[in-house]
Amino acid sequence: MENYARRESLCGGRRTSLWYPYDADYLFKICYNYHNKKVGGDAAMNVQKLGQILNEMYNKAPNGDRVTNIHLFGIKFAEIILKNHFSVKSIVECSGINVSYAAEVSKGVRLARYVTPKE
């Protein structure tokens, strides 16, 4: 089943699985559109832009404060990330930094409920 994907649906209250042929270009467009979801009209923010901001914050931080800046990123952009259901892992992948830092961004997002940045 090389060119088939599985689609699950609810049919009469029962979950059913169907195998259907797919076009790789079509699936790429779906994934691309998912990762480029827009946020609020003119202030468009997507996963790639968040990744760029994270990359800048990480690379401009002094050596001892890089992880702190990752936490700060999570705090500053927690509302956008949570409101739009953005994947933290996708943001970190787009930033180009090590994927293991997704845990640090998640910590910042959780901290946002309790703290506010000074700047």
Side-chain angles (χ1 to χ4, degrees):
M1 297 198 147
E2 183 178 312
N3 290 326
Y4 284 79
R6 193 166 112 180
R7 176 185 296 158
E8 291 189 1
S9 63
L10 288 175
C11 181
R14 286 185 7 205
R15 184 175 296 271
T16 59
S17 294
L18 304 172
W19 289 92
Y20 65 97
Y22 72 88
D23 177 19
D25 292 332
Y26 175 73
L27 286 180
F28 174 77
K29 288 176 188 174
I30 291 172
C31 292
Y32 180 80
N33 290 335
Y34 173 77
H35 287 294
N36 287 305
K37 286 193 284 188
K38 301 290 184 199
V39 179
D42 296 331
M45 184 69 72
N46 61 33
V47 173
Q48 280 76 22
K49 285 187 182 178
L50 287 170
Q52 289 173 349
I53 294 168
L54 176 58
N55 184 297
E56 289 173 12
M57 288 180 72
Y58 178 80
N59 288 318
K60 289 182 179 178
N63 273 344
D65 291 337
R66 286 188 169 174
V67 175
T68 305
N69 265 17
I70 293 172
H71 293 147
L72 183 60
F73 169 84
I75 293 167
K76 283 185 175 181
F77 296 98
E79 186 177 342
I80 293 171
I81 293 168
L82 294 173
K83 179 181 175 186
N84 296 287
H85 307 287
F86 288 148
S87 164
V88 171
K89 185 177 177 184
S90 296
I91 295 169
V92 174
E93 286 173 348
C94 289
S95 73
I97 65 175
N98 194 323
V99 179
S100 64
Y101 285 122
E104 304 305 324
V105 174
S106 294
K107 290 175 188 176
V109 170
R110 287 192 306 272
L111 279 170
R113 289 184 280 176
Y114 307 106
V115 299
T116 55
K118 288 183 180 180
E119 298 173 2

